Amino acid sequence: MHIKIHLSEDEIPRKWYNLGADLPTPVQPPLGPDGNPITPDKLSAVFPMNLIEQEVSSERWITIPEEILEILSRWRPTPLHRAVFLERELKTPARIYYKNEGVSPPGSHKPNTAVAQAWYNKEFGIKRLTTETGAGQWGSALAFACSLLGLECKVYMVRISYDQKPFRKLLMQTWGAECLASPSPETEAGRRILEKDPQSPGSLGIAISEAIEDAVSDTSGKTRYSLGSVLNHVMLHQTIIGLEAKKQLDKIGEKTVDMVIGCAGGGSNFSGLSFPFINDKINGASIDIIPVEPTSCPTMTRSGFVYDHGDTARMTPLLPMHSLGHQFIPPPIHAGGLRYHGMAPLVSQAIIEGLLTPRSLNQMECYEAAILFARTEGIIPAPETSHAIAAVIQEAKKAKEEGREKVILFNFSGHGLMDLTGFDKYLKGELRDYVLPEEDLEKSLDAIKDLPKPDIARSGRW
Amino acid sequence: MHIKIHLSEDEIPRKWYNLGADLPTPVQPPLGPDGNPITPDKLSAVFPMNLIEQEVSSERWITIPEEILEILSRWRPTPLHRAVFLERELKTPARIYYKNEGVSPPGSHKPNTAVAQAWYNKEFGIKRLTTETGAGQWGSALAFACSLLGLECKVYMVRISYDQKPFRKLLMQTWGAECLASPSPETEAGRRILEKDPQSPGSLGIAISEAIEDAVSDTSGKTRYSLGSVLNHVMLHQTIIGLEAKKQLDKIGEKTVDMVIGCAGGGSNFSGLSFPFINDKINGASIDIIPVEPTSCPTMTRSGFVYDHGDTARMTPLLPMHSLGHQFIPPPIHAGGLRYHGMAPLVSQAIIEGLLTPRSLNQMECYEAAILFARTEGIIPAPETSHAIAAVIQEAKKAKEEGREKVILFNFSGHGLMDLTGFDKYLKGELRDYVLPEEDLEKSLDAIKDLPKPDIARSGRW
């Protein structure tokens, strides 16, 4: 019985996989304010050109630079676990495997792209990165990466999280990053909000605006902005997860995978595990691939495939994606990383192509699943990760009913050691499911109905 | 260049190493209240007989039961890292390696023995374990182990930590353990303290008394007490760390180790890494083996080798150990796990035998080392672990001065993700070194001068 499957140092994948090269329909380009496809150089004030090239690349395989591999190999290859204790508890004939991305120093999959982005920026001569963070996972991952590569790092953290999650802020500071509450008095965007509402709790939209403004207003040209999800190059950097998983399954003779599951907020951990398997599916393999989201923020299950902005303040180009509308404000569930109005264009298009079957779950079911997982497998999951676990448990129970020896693979995207207040509330009976008011959803979707439609949406199912 | 060295599943050590079998002088037995060696059956109300047998065993190798290996292999073998980034920063010719025990689900080396102890108790028919915890690392490790093995677990947590570190308590509760503040109204010992001082902040001594009383007063005989350090069987269970490290160094052709370093509070993580190397040293190898303690709690560097109690309330037998006196109250440094008045008898005797060269370090130097480590290696150490790191940095600098290619191995006993307040204070300039008042130390040592002396101490250097 294989409990934890390792790869040795020299088995780490040496190329990233670009799903964009294999999707049946080409990925739609982002649009500028004039409604025309944006050219790479228009993005160059925000991102370094080497990452922009990755963003628009149609190459299938992109070589991972040695220096990036050297840093990733501090914690990669991550272990692949067989969830034997959970299987026994559920008395399921399913074999459940999970990639443990929680072993990275910041505790999630986020550093896979943080390290790559910091490295490419440094290579391009950039000295300083800015970013935003909500719950704090992304901010701490970028602080970690910048620390290892000797870049300055400034993180605009949504004020309400900054106040409620002081440990995340301390983590970033310990890695030498500057972390400040957003809205801040340091940017035009921040000052404008603070003038109107000095007590503003902030939002991811505001924090993005501040971080981008900070980057583009550095006249020395030495500062750029970094984003932790949604964009093509971010998904690319995460594919090392799925590529490792394939090698690990192969190593123990597990020939076919029936089901690949991951939680999805902006889409990066889900993409990381699933894209190499989507490739198999495009080539004829029979695999159910399931991104899981909260019912209270149903980006994939109840929205449209549209051109929409990535931020509330509409500073980003229009991206072809599933979106609840850039004005959408999701209910305050604990899985902060899943409270995003949009979905990565690559994931969105894979949904449109019929390659994925998204699912939405309620918070209480996810906490129940997280507790069962913690008490059988022993690892406490992040609130986001527990959405994947809840879906896995649904499928393992179904396998038991059907008497089928299904192979289920999921991404354990991060541990929950720094998110224990949610567990506390759940165990005390103080948590509940949030029902999304229909009128809120309709209003938000209505506000984007006149935005351009991606070609594939116009011609296809949508 | 090897950055992270793994062992595969089937390379996990299958036996623990008992240093007691190899020490030049036999380990001295614990003494009862009458001053005579205590017999194993006297301990049977507190510990199950199978663990008592391990406690007094003189076998060199003890087979690890398969069921324990199955649980340990959730996170073991742990990676051995080469600290290349730290080496480069220090420009040292030394090659620095560390075992990363922080990858265990509770984040430290503690579950190595927690799982073993819970398993042997279960095997013996025990249904429920009690223990104490100070900073919370041990309590969460035992909660974790009991959760996986289906035992009840009750943790008496020192009141001041219970109030100051709510996340550790939540961690135990998430794993299903009952965690309460000590002194508590649930035991005679606790009630007695609370009557005198309802606001008592508690102490490890009080919490041990409560946990032992709870265990021995269960008339069903289904409850036992569990200790996370000091005792021989605890050291035994930790030796899997050093045994793995030897295999890993061997794998990459690193033939000799010049220096083995670990922080030491009660001695368990230090023993775990070093005991297999002490064996080499007994057999002629030239290795400096250095346990590191805080100058503010100088158990090894400024105390005597005496027979003393393990707890303030003198409920435990007299153990032959280095002790600052069971009344000693160390200054409030952040490394809570190093604030213990005694030292494991096996470590104490190895010191007497001249096999170890203990070192004490100040808090500020350790925080400085921890920050340097976090910003080069990327992993944030626990405050305890940073004592080992500071000693390693001293040695790496010395190697540079001497131009020597020394091989240094240390134990990264745990991560500091749940101990960030200390870093916060350090970065804000609010921390300082604690100078131990000479008169406090003298008074405490004076109080134990009439206790029995271990034979080896009487005849030898002490």
Side-chain angles (χ1 to χ4, degrees), chain B residues 60-271:
Chain B
R60 178 172 293 119
W61 295 101
I62 293 179
T63 299
I64 310 175
E66 280 299 321
E67 294 92 332
I68 292 178
L69 281 176
E70 192 186 52
I71 297 179
L72 294 180
S73 64
R74 297 246 56 103
W75 73 94
R76 303 209 73 85
T78 60
L80 179 76
H81 297 263
R82 166 114 182 248
V84 276
F85 298 92
L86 178 65
E87 290 171 20
R88 284 179 203 160
E89 177 72 20
L90 296 172
K91 298 186 179 62
T92 178
R95 294 195 291 285
I96 303 170
Y97 296 92
Y98 57 100
K99 263 306 250 190
N100 187 356
E101 292 296 304
V103 299
S104 81
S108 81
H109 67 291
K110 290 287 184 194
N112 294 331
T113 185
V115 166
Q117 290 191 47
W119 187 85
Y120 281 107
N121 271 284
K122 187 179 182 181
E123 192 71 2
F124 195 70
I126 302 304
K127 305 288 184 204
R128 183 172 166 272
L129 288 178
T130 67
T131 198
E132 75 292 330
T133 200
Q137 278 282 18
W138 168 243
S140 26
L142 194 66
F144 160 81
C146 286
S147 170
L148 295 186
L149 282 155
L151 296 178
E152 283 179 62
C153 180
K154 188 162 179 175
V155 182
Y156 292 85
M157 186 171 186
V158 176
R159 159 70 72 184
I160 190 166
S161 298
Y162 185 91
D163 291 339
Q164 285 175 352
K165 298 195 166 192
F167 288 101
R168 280 282 169 200
K169 172 186 66 191
L170 294 182
L171 195 53
M172 296 179 231
Q173 288 170 346
T174 302
W175 275 315
E178 187 185 348
C179 174
L180 71 175
S182 164
S184 82
E186 301 204 8
T187 67
E188 191 55 40
R191 284 189 294 272
R192 218 178 302 137
I193 306 279
L194 288 174
E195 261 167 40
K196 274 192 259 174
D197 177 10
Q199 306 304 322
S200 166
S203 74
L204 214 46
I206 299 169
I208 295 180
S209 306
E210 287 206 275
I212 295 180
E213 180 187 327
D214 183 326
V216 300
S217 62
D218 176 359
T219 51
S220 77
K222 296 294 186 198
T223 303
R224 288 294 182 281
Y225 166 74
S226 180
L227 188 64
S229 193
V230 178
L231 299 177
N232 301 342
H233 68 274
V234 180
M235 306 299 123
L236 178 79
H237 300 155
Q238 294 292 356
T239 57
I240 194 166
I241 302 171
L243 295 167
E244 283 179 8
K246 293 192 121 199
K247 286 192 181 193
Q248 285 161 314
L249 289 167
D250 192 53
K251 208 167 194 171
I252 56 166
E254 198 70 87
K255 298 285 179 216
T256 54
V257 172
D258 299 295
M259 204 158 252
V260 176
I261 296 174
C263 65
S268 81
N269 97 76
F270 169 75
S271 300

Side-chain angles (χ1 to χ4, degrees), chain A residues 111-127:
Chain A
N112 294 330
T113 185
V115 166
Q117 290 190 48
W119 187 86
Y120 281 108
N121 272 282
K122 186 178 183 181
E123 190 71 4
F124 195 70
I126 301 305
K127 305 289 184 202

Side-chain angles (χ1 to χ4, degrees), chain A residues 71-87:
Chain A
I71 298 180
L72 294 180
S73 64
R74 296 246 59 103
W75 72 96
R76 306 208 70 87
T78 61
L80 179 76
H81 297 263
R82 167 113 181 247
V84 276
F85 298 91
L86 179 64
E87 290 172 18

Side-chain angles (χ1 to χ4, degrees), chain A residues 368-445:
Chain A
E368 190 187 344
I371 290 280
L372 182 65
F373 192 83
R375 294 184 182 174
T376 51
E377 290 299 303
I379 316 182
I380 296 178
E384 293 81 5
T385 311
S386 63
H387 284 71
I389 296 171
V392 167
I393 291 174
Q394 288 182 340
E395 292 302 323
K397 287 180 176 170
K398 213 162 111 191
K400 187 182 170 190
E401 284 161 22
E402 296 169 354
R404 270 190 65 199
E405 270 194 39
K406 251 187 299 195
V407 173
I408 303 173
L409 171 68
F410 77 96
N411 202 12
F412 187 91
S413 53
H415 67 62
L417 290 185
M418 300 185 85
D419 305 282
L420 291 171
T421 43
F423 281 100
D424 188 35
K425 287 190 183 154
Y426 175 78
L427 291 170
K428 283 182 181 155
E430 292 171 4
L431 274 197
R432 59 181 178 82
D433 285 332
Y434 288 94
V435 179
L436 183 65
E438 281 301 314
E439 58 274 23
D440 286 10
L441 181 60
E442 269 165 41
K443 220 168 83 185
S444 185
L445 290 174

Side-chain angles (χ1 to χ4, degrees), chain B residues 285-363:
Chain B
S286 162
I287 313 177
D288 285 337
I289 304 178
I290 305 174
V292 187
E293 66 186 6
T295 46
S296 55
C297 188
T299 316
M300 297 177 290
T301 51
R302 299 192 58 198
S303 78
F305 183 52
V306 296
Y307 264 115
D308 197 7
H309 296 281
D311 65 323
T312 321
R314 302 193 291 177
M315 287 188 72
T316 75
L318 287 161
L319 298 167
M321 59 183 181
H322 283 72
S323 175
L324 295 164
H326 54 266
Q327 302 282 350
F328 181 74
I329 295 169
I333 55 163
H334 276 271
L338 305 185
R339 296 176 70 242
Y340 184 64
H341 70 274
M343 180 49 62
L346 282 169
V347 175
S348 294
Q349 187 162 333
I351 294 172
I352 293 294
E353 308 267 15
L355 294 162
L356 310 179
T357 45
R359 182 177 299 183
S360 73
L361 293 177
N362 279 316
Q363 171 164 273

